[in-house]
Every structure is written in C-alpha cells, then in structure tokens.
C-alpha cells in the first residue's frame, strides 16, 4: 500500500504501514542525519507562533471599550455645556486608563515570552539505535518515541507497544 504525505486518517493504517511510510525502524529509529534532513524538509516540531500586535496597535486597542466610548460621549456632552475643565479631566482619565492598560499588556506579553523560553519539553527517542533525550522541537517524522510514567507527549504518534497506558 502506497501512503503519501500528508496522511489522511493515519489511525487507519497498521503499524507496519506507518513504519514503512516513514522509512523508519521500530527498534533502531532513524539516523541523526536523517532526522536533521527531515527537520529541514518538514520544519521543527513547534506551533506556529501567533503574529504579535504592534506596539501602536496595542495602544490604540486600549481605547476600544464600551466604557471608554461612554467617557468620550461624556466629553462631548461637557464640551456642549462649555465645561472645559471637566472635559479635560475626563480626557485625562481616559488617557491614564489607556496608559495603564498598555503597560499591563506589554508586561503580560514579556512574561509569556519568558515562560515560553523556560518551558523546554524533552522527549526520549531512539536514534541510531540509541536512546537519547532531545528537546521536543527537534522531534521529527519517523522518530520512535519512548514514553514513561509522567512524560509529556511531545508530538503526534502511533502507539506500537504499550503496558498499562493511561493519559490525562
């Protein structure tokens, strides 16, 4: 049976068909050089990062709120009644609110980036017949993964051999 990549319904294939399609060995895995070639060809095992909003867009979005719209309406009403001091005070409140929201969002963005850099998931694979730990980003098509109790599953895979498997 000829299988072409990307697969549709890979769960319907037997283990032998999957092993054959990925040109791997269930006991020795793939070679290190083959893993590097496949990573170059198919890309790293990472989620595509969502495009970040620009700093200017973050600032502009601070004014996109029903309460801010209400305050802008209050400014127009106070200007209609020629209460310039009150209109200015409301404008300052809107500006302070936007600045605080902007810096909080900027801080949250940098915190998330730091957390992403700290969170390195490692997985055990068989390459060149040896078990080795690699960062999950280096996992590629055809790698044979070894899972033990408490391990994080680093990518999609096909179960070949299991013993009392439970997942959360």
């Amino acid at each position: 049976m000829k299988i072409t990549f990307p697969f549709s319904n890979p769960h319907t294939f037997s283990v032998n068909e999957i092993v054959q399609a990925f040109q791997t060995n269930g006991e020795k895995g793939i070679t290190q050089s083959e893993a590097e070639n496949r990573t170059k060809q198919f890309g790293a095992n990472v989620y595509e990062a969502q495009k970040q909003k620009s700093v200017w867009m973050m600032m502009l979005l601070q004014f996109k709120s029903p309460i801010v719209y209400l305050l802008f309406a209050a400014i127009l009403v106070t200007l209609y009644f020629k209460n310039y001091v009150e209109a200015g005070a409301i404008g300052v409140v809107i500006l302070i609110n936007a600045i605080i929201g902007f810096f909080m969002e900027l801080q949250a963005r940098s915190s998330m980036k730091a957390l992403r850099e700290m969170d390195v998931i490692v997985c055990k694979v068989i390459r060149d017949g040896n078990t080795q730990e690699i960062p999950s980003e280096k996992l590629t098509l055809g790698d044979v993964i070894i899972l033990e109790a408490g391990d994080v599953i680093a990518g999609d895979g096909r179960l070949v051999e299991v013993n009392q498997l439970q997942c959360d």
Side-chain angles (χ1 to χ4, degrees):
M1 174 180 207
K2 174 110 169 113
I3 303 174
T4 58
F5 185 80
F7 300 150
S8 60
N9 302 320
H11 61 280
T12 62
F13 302 125
S14 71
V15 172
N16 289 335
E17 289 172 328
I18 294 290
V19 167
Q20 192 175 32
F22 283 119
Q23 298 173 349
T24 189
N25 183 313
E27 296 172 8
K28 293 183 180 179
I30 58 176
T31 64
Q32 187 65 35
S33 61
E34 182 62 25
E36 291 169 5
N37 290 339
R38 291 179 186 195
T39 300
K40 286 178 189 170
Q41 182 180 359
F42 299 109
N45 181 37
V46 293
Y47 289 114
E48 204 170 294
Q50 185 178 4
K51 187 178 178 194
Q52 295 285 330
K53 293 181 280 191
S54 71
V55 176
W56 293 109
M57 185 56 73
M58 278 176 42
M59 186 62 177
L60 285 176
L61 289 175
Q62 299 305 314
F63 297 100
K64 187 179 177 186
S65 161
I67 293 175
V68 173
Y69 298 151
L70 187 63
L71 289 172
F72 276 125
I75 288 175
L76 293 175
V77 169
T78 55
L79 287 175
Y80 177 77
F81 289 113
K82 298 182 182 169
N83 294 332
Y84 303 114
V85 174
E86 290 177 11
I90 296 171
V92 168
V93 167
I94 293 172
L95 188 62
I96 290 172
N97 180 56
I99 290 170
I100 290 171
F102 170 76
F103 281 112
M104 287 178 68
E105 190 171 341
L106 201 60
Q107 179 65 37
R109 180 190 280 189
S110 65
S111 296
M112 287 301 295
K113 182 180 177 189
L115 283 172
R116 249 184 267 114
E117 290 172 359
M118 284 177 32
D119 187 28
V120 176
I121 297 173
V122 295
C123 60
K124 292 179 210 84
V125 297
I126 300 175
R127 287 197 181 157
D128 295 318
N130 300 315
T131 301
Q132 50 184 281
E133 285 191 3
I134 61 170
S136 64
E137 293 85 27
K138 302 236 183 244
L139 192 63
T140 190
L141 297 172
D143 267 328
V144 177
I145 304 170
I146 298 174
L147 294 174
E148 295 175 348
D151 284 351
V152 174
I153 300 173
D156 292 345
R158 178 64 180 259
L159 298 174
V160 176
E161 185 178 318
V162 296
N163 184 11
Q164 298 180 344
L165 175 70
Q166 292 182 349
C167 291
D168 182 14

